[in-house]
Structure formats: structure tokens, C-alpha cells
Amino acid sequence: MQSRPGTADGPFLRLWHGFLTGRVMVALALLFLQGLGAALNQIHEPVLMALCVGYLVATAALRIWAHHAPPPPQAGAHWLPSVGVDLAMFTAMQTLHVGAMNFAPLFGLPILMAGVMGTLTLALGTTAAATLLTLAGVWWIGEQSGGDLTQRYLQAGLTGTGYFVVAYLVHQLATRLISVQQAAQQSQMAARAQEAVSARIIENLADGVLVLDRDNVVRMANPAALLLLGHEAPLAVPFALAATEDWAPLRTLARRTFGHEQPQSADVDILQAGQRPLGLRVRTWLTSNPGDAPSSSGGQPLCVMFLHDLREMEARLRTEKLAAMGRMSAAVAHEIRNPLAAIMQASALLEEDLSEPTHRRLAQMVQQNGDRLARIAEEVLDIARVQHQISHAPAAVLALDDVVAQVWNDWRAQDPARRVAQLSLQAADMQVEFDADHLRRVLVNLLDNALRYMGPHADSLFLETSMTSAGHLSLQVWSDGAPLDKSVERHLFEPFFSSESRSSGLGLYICRELCHRHGASIGYQRSSRELAGRGTVSGNAFIVSFRKAVRPTSGKTPLFDTIVV
């Protein structure tokens, strides 16, 4: 017989309890019948009454004691308190009873129990024992009373044959039940696993997913969908899509999907409170076609709606295009540096000989745009250097506060009137593993970005270092600029991605690559500060987290010095 699945709380546990309860009921019935026979002035059999009382006590004790899992199905001594007691008690009652009452049908109870709960060997063994005991009872009666017992022997043999048939059929049904239950449990486990995986995938999809019924009630919505609908706080599912008129285009598309019973696709605008309309590309499908079998939703198909942010799709497409162009432009940038340097030098020499203001202004425009081209070409080459480096030179061990203070002073000295910030150095004398030139580049890039978007106040920009209780050092550049668009935030550190047309989109990407080369990490978050006279002010924070220094200070070798372009 196959192993019983889920015996702790499955159908076999209920069957086991049912058999135990049935034995108690049989014991009560036997005791009642014996008492009724004595009350009707029949022959009183005190030994048989004692057997009935003992059988009731034995069955009740087993029902109370064996309230957990049934015994193992294999034949063994663990079946004696149940099957063994039944066989012994029913044989004794059949042998000691004087009247015409026949106790042989009661052998069906232990045979059924063995066939359902045990192996085929146990079932057939129990049936054989019951048959032999029935035949032995007939022989005993013949020894006591004499006479022709042929009919009794034939009846006992026929009863035993029926017992064998019943035991075999019951065991086959029980085996079938186990197979079906195992298949059902495996299917249930697979369905639960599939449901959990699907739920986790949908929850973490960047695109929004809504599941609606015909009444425009949202049955399921992932966080991305709620964010696209203009609700950062999770709504209680289910909720009605008719809760706000801003979602009217989605209701119209869902109604069209149910009406045509075909997938639909459209670009819609969703109004978000306090923001400009959000463009979405919406695609819908029905969970089932009208001719399909009834689904778990009561036979009614549901509408699955996918929401794609058009701005993010355009940004992703732009990033892919620019990344492809960047690979080509890296080679081009290397070739244009020398001609560009010659143009800038010639422009500078020409400017010295110009006297008219108009000509000098034109020469300065050439010089400024040449500088910008040179800077972009250098950034493109830096990408190539980082991605195609040959070896990793060991980083220097730096005193973080000293380097940050030096970079801050140099950066501020270029425009003291405008470059004003609050400086807080809380890393004491702690050291980090980082190349000094690379740390300068990361910090200057972050300060330049913050300067571009910060407010006009003296405390609009913060530069600080800090150390956690666990000894981890971090550098933070905070400014009170406007929050970043979600589509911009997702691609902040990707190459050639920028929210401005005049930016190459390489600065933050290079910062990330330099941090990774030295075991550090860089991230963005929206955070608030308590500022004197201004209260709680929200701003953009870029945080560089360093790893601990693990080796003493040594001579530094810049990373880019070991790179061949």
C-alpha cells in the first residue's frame, strides 16, 4: 500500500477516528442488547456481560488515547489494541453466547479497518484470522452440542469468502483514495507555488497590472499600477475603478474589451493630483473566452490590464539608442581630440589679434563650445577606459574628512559667491579605500549636479560625512531641489541618460563605475531635513557608502593610469 499523505490532518485521520468511534458505538450496542435481554427475562449471561463491559472500556480508552495519527499501515503489534481486540472479543462472544444470536457479522468491523487503514497483507491476514475463528467457533459448538454441522460449516466458509472479497475491494478503494489524494496534494502544491511566483512577479513588475471584472471593480493591483494611478499609498483591494473621474479612460477601455471580447490597446492620459497628465499605453486581455470552460471567478471572465508609462518607454528607447551610439562615439571621440585641440589653440591665438567686440564674442563662443566638446569627448573616453580596463591598481587609503574638505575648498574657490553650502564632517580620522582623484571626481560631479538644481538659500546645499555605529562611512550631498520624475529616477545611473538635452548623461554613470571599482556604492533617495527658519524641507540626497579600509596607507597609483584606450 502506498504511504498515506497528510495523516496528521487528512482524510485518513478522519477515517481512523471514525473507526474508533464506530467501535465505541458497537460496544455500547452490545452492552445495551445484553442488558435488554436480561430485562426481558432471558437467560442472564454474566460472563458475556463482563466481556461487553470490557470491550466498551477498551474501545473508549483507545478512542481517547489514539486521538492523533493512525498507526503505520504495515502489519505488526501496533494493531493489537484495535484489530486484535476486536477479533478476540467477537470470537469470545460468539463462543460463549448460549442463545441464537450470531456475532459473526461483527468481524466485518476489524476487516474493514485493516483493509482501509493497513496494507493488503494486514487486510488479508485479518480476514483469514476472522474466517478461521468463525470455523473454530462452529467446531466448538459441535463439540458442545453434537449433531450435523455441515450447514454451519458451509455458512462459515461462505461468510469467510465474502470477507475476503470485501477486504480486497476495500483495500483497492483505499489505495485509489491515496493515489487521488497524493495527486490532489501535488496539484495543490504546484498551484500554490505557481500562484506565489505569479504574485511575486506581478508585484515586482515595473509595469502596472490591474485585474477588473465587468463592474469595473479592481480585484488585484500591483504597486506599480497604484503608483501610475496616482496613489502611492496602497488602496484596499477590491476597489471600484469608478472612484474617481481621472480613471475614466481605463473604464472605457475595459468596457470596450468586455464588449468586443477581444484584446484592446490604446494610449490614454491619466490626471494625477498636482501633476501634469501621465501618458499611459494600456493593453487589455480577457482571462477566458466565452466558449472556454468556467473559470474560478464563477464563469465570468476578468479583464487583465497592463499599464506602461509612455515617458519611461521613450526614455528606455532613448537610452538604448544613445548607448549604441556611445559605443561608436567612444572611437570617434578618441579621433577628434587632436583636431579639437588644434581648433581651440587656433581660436585662442586668433582671439589675441581681434579688436572688435563682435569678433571677440564670436571667438569666445568658439572657445566655449570647443571646451564643451572636449569635455564630452573626455567623458566618452572615460566610459571606454572604465569598461575596458586591463588591470585593477590597488586603491589608496585616504582620510575621508581631509579629502572631502580639500575637494570642497577647491570647488568653492571657483565661485565663492554662488557655491555656498553647509559642511559637516563627522568621520573623525576614519579612512577609506579610494583613489584620491576618483573620489574628487565623484564629489565634484555630485556637487555640480546639486548646484544646478538647488534653491537660493544658504542652507540649500549640505555636504556631510558620517559614520554608523557599525563603523561604516558614508558621504552625502543633499540639496533642496524639486523631486525627480519617477521615470528619471529609475535610470539615474545609466549611461547616456539625462533629463537635459545639453547633458551627455555620463556623469552619474561614471560615478557609479568608480564607486564599484573601489568596493563602494552610490544611491539616491528623497529625504527631509529640519532647517532653521524653514522647518522641514524635502530634498534630493546622493549617498556614497564606503567599505572599511583594510590595509595601511601606501603609494597611490591612479586607476586610469593602468588603462589602455
Side-chain angles (χ1 to χ4, degrees), residues 102-356:
N102 185 9
F103 292 92
L106 294 179
F107 285 115
L109 180 61
I111 291 174
L112 287 175
M113 182 183 296
V116 173
M117 306 299 300
T119 61
L120 183 60
T121 301
L122 177 66
L124 296 179
T126 303
T127 305
T131 303
L132 292 176
L133 290 173
T134 303
L135 294 173
V138 174
W139 173 81
W140 174 260
I141 293 175
E143 288 292 325
Q144 297 295 323
S145 60
D148 186 9
L149 299 177
T150 303
Q151 293 295 328
R152 286 181 175 268
Y153 278 115
L154 291 176
Q155 183 66 37
L158 182 60
T159 303
T161 303
Y163 284 158
F164 276 103
V165 174
V166 170
Y168 180 77
L169 292 178
V170 167
H171 178 76
Q172 293 301 315
L173 290 175
T175 304
R176 178 64 177 172
L177 173 62
I178 292 176
S179 300
V180 171
Q181 185 187 5
Q182 287 178 337
Q185 284 188 344
Q186 291 176 357
S187 299
Q188 185 180 31
M189 292 174 60
R192 288 179 177 176
Q194 183 66 32
E195 182 181 2
V197 171
S198 300
R200 182 59 60 89
I201 291 175
I202 293 176
E203 182 180 355
N204 291 278
L205 276 178
D207 297 328
V209 179
L210 295 176
V211 180
L212 304 87
D213 58 17
R214 288 186 178 272
D215 298 326
N216 288 324
V217 175
V218 177
R219 301 285 190 88
M220 185 179 68
N222 67 343
L226 298 178
L227 187 61
L228 291 174
L229 292 178
H231 286 266
E232 296 187 7
L235 294 174
V237 178
F239 64 90
L241 201 60
T244 172
E245 283 301 317
D246 297 344
W247 302 336
L250 301 180
R251 295 197 300 271
T252 302
L253 192 60
R255 187 163 52 250
R256 190 190 312 164
T257 303
F258 283 115
H260 295 136
E261 297 179 347
Q262 293 292 333
Q264 302 291 322
S265 177
D267 292 343
V268 301
D269 291 330
I270 300 296
L271 297 176
Q272 294 182 332
Q275 301 183 23
R276 63 180 181 178
L278 175 64
L280 296 178
R281 175 160 296 170
V282 185
R283 295 179 296 160
T284 62
W285 286 274
L286 293 180
T287 56
S288 61
N289 296 320
D292 294 343
S295 62
S296 59
S297 58
Q300 295 295 328
L302 299 175
C303 177
V304 181
M305 186 174 291
F306 289 87
L307 312 178
H308 307 271
D309 189 345
L310 286 176
R311 289 177 298 180
E312 185 176 350
M313 293 175 63
E314 293 171 357
R316 188 183 300 119
L317 181 61
R318 177 174 174 267
T319 299
E320 293 174 355
K321 290 181 178 179
L322 288 177
M325 294 175 59
R327 289 189 290 270
M328 180 185 67
S329 61
V332 176
H334 183 68
E335 297 298 329
I336 68 173
R337 281 196 307 174
N338 291 337
L340 185 61
I343 292 174
M344 295 176 60
Q345 184 177 8
S347 174
L349 294 174
L350 181 61
E351 186 180 4
E352 294 177 357
D353 297 333
L354 297 176
S355 57
E356 292 194 16

